[in-house]
Amino acid sequence: MTHPTNLIGKTALVQGGSRGIGAAIVKRLVEQGAAVAFTFVSSEAKAQELQDSITAAGGKALAIKADSANAEDIRDAVAQTVETFGGLDILVNNAGVLAIAPLDEFTLEDFDRTLAINVRSVFIASQEAARHMKEGGRIINIGSTNADRMPFAGGGVYAMSKSALVGLTKGLARDLGPRGITINNVQPGPVDTDMNPADSDFAETLMGLMAIPRYGKSEEIAAMVAYLAGPEAGYVTGASLTIDGGFGA
Ligand SMILES: NC(=O)c1ccc[n+]([C@@H]2O[C@H](COP(=O)([O-])OP(=O)(O)OC[C@H]3O[C@@H](n4cnc5c(N)ncnc54)[C@H](OP(=O)(O)O)[C@@H]3O)[C@@H](O)[C@H]2O)c1
């Protein structure tokens, strides 16, 4: 499928772009013409491979090692993007972790790490990126349908982290709106990635809860992100858009 080339001349940074949904977003933004930097924390080889495959095909990509739990790493990633590509128009906050454990066993380390990566990093990157963005800038967060529905025990902290993005997105829309910058929150349902493989024991149970009983594809999430990143979405802001096969219906 060919996509519109409406992001030519735009520059983007994707937090957590080495695998899964993030990698699909990187590829999609490149296909639409953007120069795209992306971060990773552990998957060095995968990140390098993605950067190389994009540059070999004539696109512009930059892999940056940066831990989303670390404020300085995030700020450096924004600075490197601006330095390399000459600006920053689109920020996608995709890096996320999922820790599941019964209430009794859930550790404070996992609580703090979940909030640091799933919420605090979104705030830091948005604050830093907005300093460089001009009118038409776009911030897109990757939340989860679990912000609205968490039908299992053990996922409370993850659900809380994704609910926090709903409020953060609404509030920051008010900060950024007068500057012509939008911020939105995409809420996927089950998507086949390392975090949530479609062949896990859990998959059948999840599919029993969906109107469309299949896992989503990373490319389907990337398509919604690409819409929000494009010029046609200039009037959408502060919104949480769910793409979950009816998991929450
Ligand atoms: N899959 C689903 O069913 C689903 C559903 C709803 C929402 N989501 C959300 O979608 C986003 C992506 O999920 P996914 O399924 O694609 O997950 P994934 O396959 O586990 O990939 C996670 C990505 O985030 C990066 N990342 C994780 N921790 C990081 C850190 N501390 N610093 C920098 N990068 C970090 C990883 O980098 P490395 O490769 O270096 O580890 C990787 O690129 C997450 O926010 C997740 O909560 C997923």
Side-chain angles (χ1 to χ4, degrees), residues 16-22 39-43 66-69 94-97 113 117 142-144 158 162 188-191 193-196:
S18 44
R19 291 181 287 127
I21 294 170
T39 66
F40 64 95
V41 65
S42 53
S43 306
D67 185 352
S68 292
N94 169 78
V97 289
R113 187 169 165 70
I117 297 167
I142 307 300
S144 168
Y158 181 76
K162 296 302 190 179
V191 178
T193 65
D194 295 338
M195 182 186 277
N196 185 7

PDB file of all heavy atoms in Angstrom, residues 16-22 39-43 66-69 94-97 113 117 142-144 158 162 188-191 193-196, ligand 1:
ATOM      1  N   GLY A  16      11.030   5.027  22.146  1.00  0.00           N
ATOM      2  CA  GLY A  16      10.771   3.595  22.108  1.00  0.00           C
ATOM      3  C   GLY A  16      10.361   3.162  20.712  1.00  0.00           C
ATOM      4  O   GLY A  16       9.208   2.780  20.480  1.00  0.00           O
ATOM      5  N   GLY A  17      11.323   3.177  19.767  1.00  0.00           N
ATOM      6  CA  GLY A  17      10.979   2.878  18.373  1.00  0.00           C
ATOM      7  C   GLY A  17      11.668   1.654  17.812  1.00  0.00           C
ATOM      8  O   GLY A  17      11.587   1.385  16.614  1.00  0.00           O
ATOM      9  N   SER A  18      12.320   0.872  18.650  1.00  0.00           N
ATOM     10  CA  SER A  18      13.123  -0.238  18.135  1.00  0.00           C
ATOM     11  C   SER A  18      12.320  -1.485  17.812  1.00  0.00           C
ATOM     12  O   SER A  18      12.753  -2.319  17.011  1.00  0.00           O
ATOM     13  CB  SER A  18      14.202  -0.598  19.169  1.00  0.00           C
ATOM     14  OG  SER A  18      13.630  -0.631  20.459  1.00  0.00           O
ATOM     15  N   ARG A  19      11.160  -1.635  18.449  1.00  0.00           N
ATOM     16  CA  ARG A  19      10.384  -2.878  18.290  1.00  0.00           C
ATOM     17  C   ARG A  19       8.897  -2.557  18.294  1.00  0.00           C
ATOM     18  O   ARG A  19       8.489  -1.464  18.669  1.00  0.00           O
ATOM     19  CB  ARG A  19      10.643  -3.835  19.477  1.00  0.00           C
ATOM     20  CG  ARG A  19      12.010  -4.422  19.544  1.00  0.00           C
ATOM     21  CD  ARG A  19      12.128  -5.359  20.744  1.00  0.00           C
ATOM     22  NE  ARG A  19      12.183  -4.674  22.024  1.00  0.00           N
ATOM     23  CZ  ARG A  19      11.377  -4.934  23.047  1.00  0.00           C
ATOM     24  NH1 ARG A  19      10.441  -5.862  22.939  1.00  0.00           N
ATOM     25  NH2 ARG A  19      11.502  -4.275  24.187  1.00  0.00           N
ATOM     26  N   GLY A  20       8.099  -3.567  17.936  1.00  0.00           N
ATOM     27  CA  GLY A  20       6.652  -3.520  18.139  1.00  0.00           C
ATOM     28  C   GLY A  20       5.969  -2.309  17.514  1.00  0.00           C
ATOM     29  O   GLY A  20       6.265  -1.899  16.380  1.00  0.00           O
ATOM     30  N   ILE A  21       5.054  -1.724  18.268  1.00  0.00           N
ATOM     31  CA  ILE A  21       4.251  -0.606  17.758  1.00  0.00           C
ATOM     32  C   ILE A  21       5.148   0.569  17.386  1.00  0.00           C
ATOM     33  O   ILE A  21       4.955   1.213  16.351  1.00  0.00           O
ATOM     34  CB  ILE A  21       3.199  -0.190  18.826  1.00  0.00           C
ATOM     35  CG1 ILE A  21       2.176  -1.325  19.045  1.00  0.00           C
ATOM     36  CG2 ILE A  21       2.492   1.104  18.427  1.00  0.00           C
ATOM     37  CD1 ILE A  21       1.248  -1.127  20.242  1.00  0.00           C
ATOM     38  N   GLY A  22       6.151   0.840  18.207  1.00  0.00           N
ATOM     39  CA  GLY A  22       7.056   1.971  17.967  1.00  0.00           C
ATOM     40  C   GLY A  22       7.784   1.849  16.638  1.00  0.00           C
ATOM     41  O   GLY A  22       7.897   2.822  15.878  1.00  0.00           O
ATOM     42  N   THR A  39      14.238   6.291  19.897  1.00  0.00           N
ATOM     43  CA  THR A  39      15.070   5.822  21.006  1.00  0.00           C
ATOM     44  C   THR A  39      14.854   4.328  21.260  1.00  0.00           C
ATOM     45  O   THR A  39      13.861   3.740  20.855  1.00  0.00           O
ATOM     46  CB  THR A  39      14.771   6.603  22.302  1.00  0.00           C
ATOM     47  OG1 THR A  39      13.427   6.307  22.719  1.00  0.00           O
ATOM     48  CG2 THR A  39      14.939   8.104  22.112  1.00  0.00           C
ATOM     49  N   PHE A  40      15.824   3.766  21.939  1.00  0.00           N
ATOM     50  CA  PHE A  40      15.740   2.382  22.435  1.00  0.00           C
ATOM     51  C   PHE A  40      16.537   2.363  23.733  1.00  0.00           C
ATOM     52  O   PHE A  40      17.300   3.297  24.007  1.00  0.00           O
ATOM     53  CB  PHE A  40      16.340   1.386  21.420  1.00  0.00           C
ATOM     54  CG  PHE A  40      17.816   1.588  21.208  1.00  0.00           C
ATOM     55  CD1 PHE A  40      18.738   0.824  21.928  1.00  0.00           C
ATOM     56  CD2 PHE A  40      18.290   2.557  20.337  1.00  0.00           C
ATOM     57  CE1 PHE A  40      20.102   1.021  21.764  1.00  0.00           C
ATOM     58  CE2 PHE A  40      19.657   2.765  20.164  1.00  0.00           C
ATOM     59  CZ  PHE A  40      20.563   1.994  20.873  1.00  0.00           C
ATOM     60  N   VAL A  41      16.349   1.305  24.519  1.00  0.00           N
ATOM     61  CA  VAL A  41      17.150   1.222  25.741  1.00  0.00           C
ATOM     62  C   VAL A  41      18.009  -0.037  25.767  1.00  0.00           C
ATOM     63  O   VAL A  41      19.149  -0.014  26.210  1.00  0.00           O
ATOM     64  CB  VAL A  41      16.266   1.351  27.012  1.00  0.00           C
ATOM     65  CG1 VAL A  41      15.307   0.183  27.151  1.00  0.00           C
ATOM     66  CG2 VAL A  41      17.097   1.510  28.264  1.00  0.00           C
ATOM     67  N   SER A  42      17.474  -1.154  25.232  1.00  0.00           N
ATOM     68  CA  SER A  42      18.249  -2.401  25.289  1.00  0.00           C
ATOM     69  C   SER A  42      18.450  -3.056  23.921  1.00  0.00           C
ATOM     70  O   SER A  42      19.458  -3.730  23.709  1.00  0.00           O
ATOM     71  CB  SER A  42      17.560  -3.398  26.233  1.00  0.00           C
ATOM     72  OG  SER A  42      16.215  -3.546  25.849  1.00  0.00           O
ATOM     73  N   SER A  43      17.532  -2.852  22.979  1.00  0.00           N
ATOM     74  CA  SER A  43      17.608  -3.564  21.694  1.00  0.00           C
ATOM     75  C   SER A  43      18.512  -2.849  20.700  1.00  0.00           C
ATOM     76  O   SER A  43      18.042  -2.390  19.649  1.00  0.00           O
ATOM     77  CB  SER A  43      16.221  -3.704  21.082  1.00  0.00           C
ATOM     78  OG  SER A  43      15.343  -4.285  21.969  1.00  0.00           O
ATOM     79  N   ALA A  66      18.613   5.865  24.662  1.00  0.00           N
ATOM     80  CA  ALA A  66      18.147   6.795  25.698  1.00  0.00           C
ATOM     81  C   ALA A  66      17.106   6.088  26.558  1.00  0.00           C
ATOM     82  O   ALA A  66      16.121   5.572  26.038  1.00  0.00           O
ATOM     83  CB  ALA A  66      17.520   8.030  25.038  1.00  0.00           C
ATOM     84  N   ASP A  67      17.351   6.046  27.845  1.00  0.00           N
ATOM     85  CA  ASP A  67      16.436   5.392  28.770  1.00  0.00           C
ATOM     86  C   ASP A  67      15.318   6.364  29.145  1.00  0.00           C
ATOM     87  O   ASP A  67      15.581   7.429  29.718  1.00  0.00           O
ATOM     88  CB  ASP A  67      17.213   4.953  30.018  1.00  0.00           C
ATOM     89  CG  ASP A  67      16.351   4.164  30.987  1.00  0.00           C
ATOM     90  OD1 ASP A  67      15.124   4.088  30.780  1.00  0.00           O
ATOM     91  OD2 ASP A  67      16.921   3.633  31.966  1.00  0.00           O
ATOM     92  N   SER A  68      14.095   5.994  28.829  1.00  0.00           N
ATOM     93  CA  SER A  68      12.956   6.876  29.120  1.00  0.00           C
ATOM     94  C   SER A  68      12.720   7.045  30.625  1.00  0.00           C
ATOM     95  O   SER A  68      11.925   7.902  31.023  1.00  0.00           O
ATOM     96  CB  SER A  68      11.684   6.345  28.455  1.00  0.00           C
ATOM     97  OG  SER A  68      11.786   6.458  27.058  1.00  0.00           O
ATOM     98  N   ALA A  69      13.400   6.254  31.442  1.00  0.00           N
ATOM     99  CA  ALA A  69      13.291   6.451  32.898  1.00  0.00           C
ATOM    100  C   ALA A  69      14.230   7.555  33.373  1.00  0.00           C
ATOM    101  O   ALA A  69      14.223   7.923  34.554  1.00  0.00           O
ATOM    102  CB  ALA A  69      13.604   5.139  33.628  1.00  0.00           C
ATOM    103  N   ASN A  94       5.917   6.609  22.775  1.00  0.00           N
ATOM    104  CA  ASN A  94       5.455   5.225  22.674  1.00  0.00           C
ATOM    105  C   ASN A  94       6.078   4.302  23.723  1.00  0.00           C
ATOM    106  O   ASN A  94       5.477   3.296  24.081  1.00  0.00           O
ATOM    107  CB  ASN A  94       5.771   4.697  21.265  1.00  0.00           C
ATOM    108  CG  ASN A  94       5.581   3.192  21.149  1.00  0.00           C
ATOM    109  OD1 ASN A  94       4.460   2.709  21.037  1.00  0.00           O
ATOM    110  ND2 ASN A  94       6.676   2.429  21.218  1.00  0.00           N
ATOM    111  N   ALA A  95       7.271   4.636  24.236  1.00  0.00           N
ATOM    112  CA  ALA A  95       7.963   3.718  25.167  1.00  0.00           C
ATOM    113  C   ALA A  95       7.035   3.392  26.337  1.00  0.00           C
ATOM    114  O   ALA A  95       6.402   4.277  26.912  1.00  0.00           O
ATOM    115  CB  ALA A  95       9.244   4.359  25.683  1.00  0.00           C
ATOM    116  N   GLY A  96       6.952   2.112  26.648  1.00  0.00           N
ATOM    117  CA  GLY A  96       6.076   1.724  27.749  1.00  0.00           C
ATOM    118  C   GLY A  96       6.462   0.365  28.280  1.00  0.00           C
ATOM    119  O   GLY A  96       7.080  -0.443  27.570  1.00  0.00           O
ATOM    120  N   VAL A  97       6.117   0.113  29.533  1.00  0.00           N
ATOM    121  CA  VAL A  97       6.360  -1.195  30.143  1.00  0.00           C
ATOM    122  C   VAL A  97       5.075  -1.671  30.811  1.00  0.00           C
ATOM    123  O   VAL A  97       4.224  -0.871  31.200  1.00  0.00           O
ATOM    124  CB  VAL A  97       7.512  -1.148  31.175  1.00  0.00           C
ATOM    125  CG1 VAL A  97       8.858  -0.966  30.479  1.00  0.00           C
ATOM    126  CG2 VAL A  97       7.297  -0.049  32.210  1.00  0.00           C
ATOM    127  N   ARG A 113       8.881   2.328  38.458  1.00  0.00           N
ATOM    128  CA  ARG A 113       9.398   2.182  37.093  1.00  0.00           C
ATOM    129  C   ARG A 113       8.276   2.369  36.063  1.00  0.00           C
ATOM    130  O   ARG A 113       8.463   3.037  35.037  1.00  0.00           O
ATOM    131  CB  ARG A 113      10.038   0.788  36.957  1.00  0.00           C
ATOM    132  CG  ARG A 113      10.740   0.576  35.658  1.00  0.00           C
ATOM    133  CD  ARG A 113      11.593  -0.677  35.642  1.00  0.00           C
ATOM    134  NE  ARG A 113      11.944  -0.992  34.266  1.00  0.00           N
ATOM    135  CZ  ARG A 113      12.775  -0.278  33.512  1.00  0.00           C
ATOM    136  NH1 ARG A 113      13.376   0.774  34.018  1.00  0.00           N
ATOM    137  NH2 ARG A 113      13.012  -0.625  32.267  1.00  0.00           N
ATOM    138  N   ILE A 117       8.443   5.434  33.274  1.00  0.00           N
ATOM    139  CA  ILE A 117       8.512   5.218  31.817  1.00  0.00           C
ATOM    140  C   ILE A 117       7.180   5.556  31.137  1.00  0.00           C
ATOM    141  O   ILE A 117       7.151   6.217  30.105  1.00  0.00           O
ATOM    142  CB  ILE A 117       8.946   3.768  31.508  1.00  0.00           C
ATOM    143  CG1 ILE A 117      10.364   3.535  32.046  1.00  0.00           C
ATOM    144  CG2 ILE A 117       8.883   3.479  30.007  1.00  0.00           C
ATOM    145  CD1 ILE A 117      10.801   2.097  32.087  1.00  0.00           C
ATOM    146  N   ILE A 142       1.084   7.201  23.330  1.00  0.00           N
ATOM    147  CA  ILE A 142       0.481   5.875  23.184  1.00  0.00           C
ATOM    148  C   ILE A 142       0.017   5.423  24.559  1.00  0.00           C
ATOM    149  O   ILE A 142       0.819   5.039  25.416  1.00  0.00           O
ATOM    150  CB  ILE A 142       1.449   4.855  22.552  1.00  0.00           C
ATOM    151  CG1 ILE A 142       2.033   5.382  21.220  1.00  0.00           C
ATOM    152  CG2 ILE A 142       0.715   3.524  22.347  1.00  0.00           C
ATOM    153  CD1 ILE A 142       1.021   5.693  20.114  1.00  0.00           C
ATOM    154  N   GLY A 143      -1.278   5.520  24.750  1.00  0.00           N
ATOM    155  CA  GLY A 143      -1.897   5.069  25.998  1.00  0.00           C
ATOM    156  C   GLY A 143      -2.328   3.625  25.859  1.00  0.00           C
ATOM    157  O   GLY A 143      -1.597   2.801  25.297  1.00  0.00           O
ATOM    158  N   SER A 144      -3.521   3.319  26.344  1.00  0.00           N
ATOM    159  CA  SER A 144      -4.044   1.950  26.214  1.00  0.00           C
ATOM    160  C   SER A 144      -5.535   1.962  26.489  1.00  0.00           C
ATOM    161  O   SER A 144      -6.027   2.763  27.298  1.00  0.00           O
ATOM    162  CB  SER A 144      -3.360   1.016  27.211  1.00  0.00           C
ATOM    163  OG  SER A 144      -4.053  -0.229  27.271  1.00  0.00           O
ATOM    164  N   TYR A 158      -0.578  -0.550  35.756  1.00  0.00           N
ATOM    165  CA  TYR A 158      -0.502  -0.266  34.319  1.00  0.00           C
ATOM    166  C   TYR A 158      -1.708   0.571  33.889  1.00  0.00           C
ATOM    167  O   TYR A 158      -1.561   1.589  33.200  1.00  0.00           O
ATOM    168  CB  TYR A 158      -0.451  -1.588  33.535  1.00  0.00           C
ATOM    169  CG  TYR A 158      -0.358  -1.416  32.031  1.00  0.00           C
ATOM    170  CD1 TYR A 158       0.840  -1.050  31.427  1.00  0.00           C
ATOM    171  CD2 TYR A 158      -1.465  -1.633  31.216  1.00  0.00           C
ATOM    172  CE1 TYR A 158       0.928  -0.895  30.040  1.00  0.00           C
ATOM    173  CE2 TYR A 158      -1.390  -1.492  29.835  1.00  0.00           C
ATOM    174  CZ  TYR A 158      -0.187  -1.124  29.251  1.00  0.00           C
ATOM    175  OH  TYR A 158      -0.106  -0.979  27.882  1.00  0.00           O
ATOM    176  N   LYS A 162      -1.823   4.493  32.276  1.00  0.00           N
ATOM    177  CA  LYS A 162      -2.422   4.868  30.993  1.00  0.00           C
ATOM    178  C   LYS A 162      -3.595   5.834  31.199  1.00  0.00           C
ATOM    179  O   LYS A 162      -3.850   6.689  30.351  1.00  0.00           O
ATOM    180  CB  LYS A 162      -2.858   3.611  30.226  1.00  0.00           C
ATOM    181  CG  LYS A 162      -1.668   2.698  29.845  1.00  0.00           C
ATOM    182  CD  LYS A 162      -0.628   3.416  28.996  1.00  0.00           C
ATOM    183  CE  LYS A 162       0.428   2.495  28.417  1.00  0.00           C
ATOM    184  NZ  LYS A 162       1.416   3.194  27.585  1.00  0.00           N
ATOM    185  N   PRO A 188      -4.476   1.814  22.106  1.00  0.00           N
ATOM    186  CA  PRO A 188      -4.644   0.518  21.446  1.00  0.00           C
ATOM    187  C   PRO A 188      -5.248  -0.525  22.384  1.00  0.00           C
ATOM    188  O   PRO A 188      -5.099  -0.443  23.605  1.00  0.00           O
ATOM    189  CB  PRO A 188      -3.212   0.107  21.080  1.00  0.00           C
ATOM    190  CG  PRO A 188      -2.355   1.307  21.316  1.00  0.00           C
ATOM    191  CD  PRO A 188      -3.057   2.124  22.341  1.00  0.00           C
ATOM    192  N   GLY A 189      -5.876  -1.508  21.758  1.00  0.00           N
ATOM    193  CA  GLY A 189      -6.243  -2.734  22.463  1.00  0.00           C
ATOM    194  C   GLY A 189      -5.124  -3.733  22.267  1.00  0.00           C
ATOM    195  O   GLY A 189      -3.992  -3.346  21.949  1.00  0.00           O
ATOM    196  N   PRO A 190      -5.395  -5.042  22.432  1.00  0.00           N
ATOM    197  CA  PRO A 190      -4.345  -6.039  22.269  1.00  0.00           C
ATOM    198  C   PRO A 190      -3.697  -5.985  20.880  1.00  0.00           C
ATOM    199  O   PRO A 190      -4.385  -6.085  19.869  1.00  0.00           O
ATOM    200  CB  PRO A 190      -5.084  -7.367  22.466  1.00  0.00           C
ATOM    201  CG  PRO A 190      -6.279  -7.011  23.292  1.00  0.00           C
ATOM    202  CD  PRO A 190      -6.671  -5.635  22.850  1.00  0.00           C
ATOM    203  N   VAL A 191      -2.388  -5.799  20.857  1.00  0.00           N
ATOM    204  CA  VAL A 191      -1.626  -5.727  19.602  1.00  0.00           C
ATOM    205  C   VAL A 191      -0.495  -6.742  19.713  1.00  0.00           C
ATOM    206  O   VAL A 191       0.179  -6.817  20.750  1.00  0.00           O
ATOM    207  CB  VAL A 191      -1.058  -4.302  19.393  1.00  0.00           C
ATOM    208  CG1 VAL A 191      -0.216  -4.246  18.120  1.00  0.00           C
ATOM    209  CG2 VAL A 191      -2.183  -3.275  19.323  1.00  0.00           C
ATOM    210  N   THR A 193       2.735  -8.016  19.827  1.00  0.00           N
ATOM    211  CA  THR A 193       4.127  -7.555  19.983  1.00  0.00           C
ATOM    212  C   THR A 193       4.798  -8.412  21.057  1.00  0.00           C
ATOM    213  O   THR A 193       4.151  -9.263  21.667  1.00  0.00           O
ATOM    214  CB  THR A 193       4.179  -6.085  20.470  1.00  0.00           C
ATOM    215  OG1 THR A 193       3.605  -6.033  21.785  1.00  0.00           O
ATOM    216  CG2 THR A 193       3.443  -5.131  19.557  1.00  0.00           C
ATOM    217  N   ASP A 194       6.062  -8.120  21.339  1.00  0.00           N
ATOM    218  CA  ASP A 194       6.761  -8.837  22.413  1.00  0.00           C
ATOM    219  C   ASP A 194       6.042  -8.652  23.753  1.00  0.00           C
ATOM    220  O   ASP A 194       6.044  -9.533  24.611  1.00  0.00           O
ATOM    221  CB  ASP A 194       8.198  -8.316  22.572  1.00  0.00           C
ATOM    222  CG  ASP A 194       9.032  -8.607  21.332  1.00  0.00           C
ATOM    223  OD1 ASP A 194       8.670  -9.530  20.575  1.00  0.00           O
ATOM    224  OD2 ASP A 194      10.044  -7.898  21.118  1.00  0.00           O
ATOM    225  N   MET A 195       5.430  -7.452  23.930  1.00  0.00           N
ATOM    226  CA  MET A 195       4.749  -7.168  25.199  1.00  0.00           C
ATOM    227  C   MET A 195       3.507  -8.027  25.378  1.00  0.00           C
ATOM    228  O   MET A 195       3.152  -8.399  26.489  1.00  0.00           O
ATOM    229  CB  MET A 195       4.364  -5.676  25.260  1.00  0.00           C
ATOM    230  CG  MET A 195       3.687  -5.261  26.546  1.00  0.00           C
ATOM    231  SD  MET A 195       3.087  -3.553  26.513  1.00  0.00           S
ATOM    232  CE  MET A 195       4.551  -2.636  26.927  1.00  0.00           C
ATOM    233  N   ASN A 196       2.855  -8.353  24.254  1.00  0.00           N
ATOM    234  CA  ASN A 196       1.552  -9.022  24.319  1.00  0.00           C
ATOM    235  C   ASN A 196       1.396  -9.947  23.112  1.00  0.00           C
ATOM    236  O   ASN A 196       0.614  -9.671  22.207  1.00  0.00           O
ATOM    237  CB  ASN A 196       0.448  -7.949  24.349  1.00  0.00           C
ATOM    238  CG  ASN A 196      -0.937  -8.545  24.548  1.00  0.00           C
ATOM    239  OD1 ASN A 196      -1.088  -9.739  24.788  1.00  0.00           O
ATOM    240  ND2 ASN A 196      -1.949  -7.710  24.433  1.00  0.00           N
TER     241      ASN A 196
HETATM  242  N1  LIG B   1       0.973  -4.540  22.672  1.00  0.00           N
HETATM  243  C1  LIG B   1      -0.199  -4.212  23.200  1.00  0.00           C
HETATM  244  O1  LIG B   1      -1.121  -5.038  23.302  1.00  0.00           O
HETATM  245  C2  LIG B   1      -0.443  -2.806  23.691  1.00  0.00           C
HETATM  246  C3  LIG B   1      -1.757  -2.435  23.977  1.00  0.00           C
HETATM  247  C4  LIG B   1      -2.027  -1.152  24.413  1.00  0.00           C
HETATM  248  C5  LIG B   1      -0.994  -0.261  24.570  1.00  0.00           C
HETATM  249  N2  LIG B   1       0.299  -0.638  24.301  1.00  0.00           N
HETATM  250  C6  LIG B   1       1.343   0.377  24.496  1.00  0.00           C
HETATM  251  O2  LIG B   1       2.031   0.553  23.282  1.00  0.00           O
HETATM  252  C7  LIG B   1       3.391   0.946  23.535  1.00  0.00           C
HETATM  253  C8  LIG B   1       4.327   0.001  22.794  1.00  0.00           C
HETATM  254  O3  LIG B   1       4.055  -1.314  23.208  1.00  0.00           O
HETATM  255  P1  LIG B   1       4.613  -2.613  22.449  1.00  0.00           P
HETATM  256  O4  LIG B   1       3.578  -3.652  22.612  1.00  0.00           O
HETATM  257  O5  LIG B   1       5.119  -2.267  21.110  1.00  0.00           O
HETATM  258  O6  LIG B   1       5.814  -2.984  23.443  1.00  0.00           O
HETATM  259  P2  LIG B   1       7.203  -3.767  23.197  1.00  0.00           P
HETATM  260  O7  LIG B   1       7.048  -4.713  22.068  1.00  0.00           O
HETATM  261  O8  LIG B   1       7.570  -4.275  24.537  1.00  0.00           O
HETATM  262  O9  LIG B   1       8.217  -2.573  22.762  1.00  0.00           O
HETATM  263  C9  LIG B   1       8.467  -1.560  23.686  1.00  0.00           C
HETATM  264  C10 LIG B   1       9.302  -0.486  23.048  1.00  0.00           C
HETATM  265  O10 LIG B   1       9.527   0.542  24.040  1.00  0.00           O
HETATM  266  C11 LIG B   1      10.922   0.655  24.279  1.00  0.00           C
HETATM  267  N3  LIG B   1      11.185   0.918  25.678  1.00  0.00           N
HETATM  268  C12 LIG B   1      10.738   0.223  26.763  1.00  0.00           C
HETATM  269  N4  LIG B   1      11.272   0.749  27.889  1.00  0.00           N
HETATM  270  C13 LIG B   1      12.060   1.785  27.504  1.00  0.00           C
HETATM  271  C14 LIG B   1      12.882   2.709  28.184  1.00  0.00           C
HETATM  272  N5  LIG B   1      13.024   2.658  29.509  1.00  0.00           N
HETATM  273  N6  LIG B   1      13.539   3.640  27.457  1.00  0.00           N
HETATM  274  C15 LIG B   1      13.442   3.689  26.100  1.00  0.00           C
HETATM  275  N7  LIG B   1      12.675   2.823  25.389  1.00  0.00           N
HETATM  276  C16 LIG B   1      12.004   1.882  26.080  1.00  0.00           C
HETATM  277  C17 LIG B   1      11.531  -0.652  23.851  1.00  0.00           C
HETATM  278  O11 LIG B   1      12.913  -0.453  23.591  1.00  0.00           O
HETATM  279  P3  LIG B   1      13.968  -1.712  23.640  1.00  0.00           P
HETATM  280  O12 LIG B   1      13.695  -2.494  22.388  1.00  0.00           O
HETATM  281  O13 LIG B   1      15.311  -1.101  23.663  1.00  0.00           O
HETATM  282  O14 LIG B   1      13.653  -2.490  24.867  1.00  0.00           O
HETATM  283  C18 LIG B   1      10.665  -0.972  22.621  1.00  0.00           C
HETATM  284  O15 LIG B   1      11.099  -0.236  21.489  1.00  0.00           O
HETATM  285  C19 LIG B   1       3.539   0.892  25.057  1.00  0.00           C
HETATM  286  O16 LIG B   1       3.368   2.190  25.585  1.00  0.00           O
HETATM  287  C20 LIG B   1       2.405  -0.012  25.492  1.00  0.00           C
HETATM  288  O17 LIG B   1       2.010   0.234  26.818  1.00  0.00           O
HETATM  289  C21 LIG B   1       0.593  -1.895  23.855  1.00  0.00           C
END
